[in-house]
Amino acid sequence: MNALSMKAHVAQTQSLQRVQGAASRTVARTPLVVENRVAIRFTRMGRKKLPFYRIVAIDSRKRRDGAPLEYLGWYDPMKKEANLNAPAIRKWLSDGAKPSETVSGLLKKAMVIE
């Protein structure tokens, strides 16, 4: 072996040792946990300056007017009227759904939750 090929051979074995050393130093990582959460919140209906809201159970990562899992009632802030499906709301709450602050206040007024 001449000097040039000797240097190439040494460099190749050193890089191979670095790769093997890096593989032995890998840390066992815990799997990524994604929590899906159902939210009970308003979706806006109505028209400009005349709001009307439906109360829906929806995946918390979806946008405000996304496709809901279930319709749970409605709320008209202009007339201060609400129509709630209390058994369905209680079912979602028992399954771990989290109501928004506004919906939570509405449910407390309607005595669906304490």
Side-chain angles (χ1 to χ4, degrees), residues 22-41:
S24 65
R25 285 183 274 148
T26 57
V27 179
R29 296 182 184 195
T30 58
L32 179 64
V33 178
V34 177
E35 293 186 22
N36 293 341
R37 185 171 70 90
V38 175
I40 298 176
R41 64 184 185 209

Side-chain angles (χ1 to χ4, degrees), residues 64-86:
R64 181 191 72 182
D65 295 331
L69 299 170
E70 184 177 358
Y71 291 104
L72 302 173
W74 53 264
Y75 174 64
D76 186 354
M78 303 303 282
K79 298 178 185 175
K80 305 288 187 211
E81 291 181 19
N83 181 7
L84 304 172
N85 184 352

Side-chain angles (χ1 to χ4, degrees), residues 17-114:
Q17 288 172 353
R18 271 189 252 127
V19 170
Q20 288 174 347
S24 65
R25 285 183 274 148
T26 57
V27 179
R29 296 182 184 195
T30 58
L32 179 64
V33 178
V34 177
E35 293 186 22
N36 293 341
R37 185 171 70 90
V38 175
I40 298 176
R41 64 184 185 209
F42 288 132
T43 184
R44 186 177 165 126
M45 308 295 284
R47 64 177 203 217
K48 184 176 168 182
K49 301 199 181 195
L50 288 174
F52 181 84
Y53 298 97
R54 284 189 181 164
I55 301 165
V56 296
I58 191 168
D59 184 353
S60 63
R61 296 171 294 177
K62 292 203 175 185
R63 58 182 191 210
R64 181 191 72 182
D65 295 331
L69 299 170
E70 184 177 358
Y71 291 104
L72 302 173
W74 53 264
Y75 174 64
D76 186 354
M78 303 303 282
K79 298 178 185 175
K80 305 288 187 211
E81 291 181 19
N83 181 7
L84 304 172
N85 184 352
I89 293 171
R90 286 192 184 106
K91 179 190 85 67
W92 280 107
L93 291 172
S94 68
D95 289 344
K98 301 284 186 216
S100 68
E101 289 183 26
T102 312
V103 172
S104 181
L106 183 66
L107 296 177
K108 287 177 184 174
K109 282 183 185 177
M111 292 185 269
V112 175
I113 61 174
E114 290 81 40

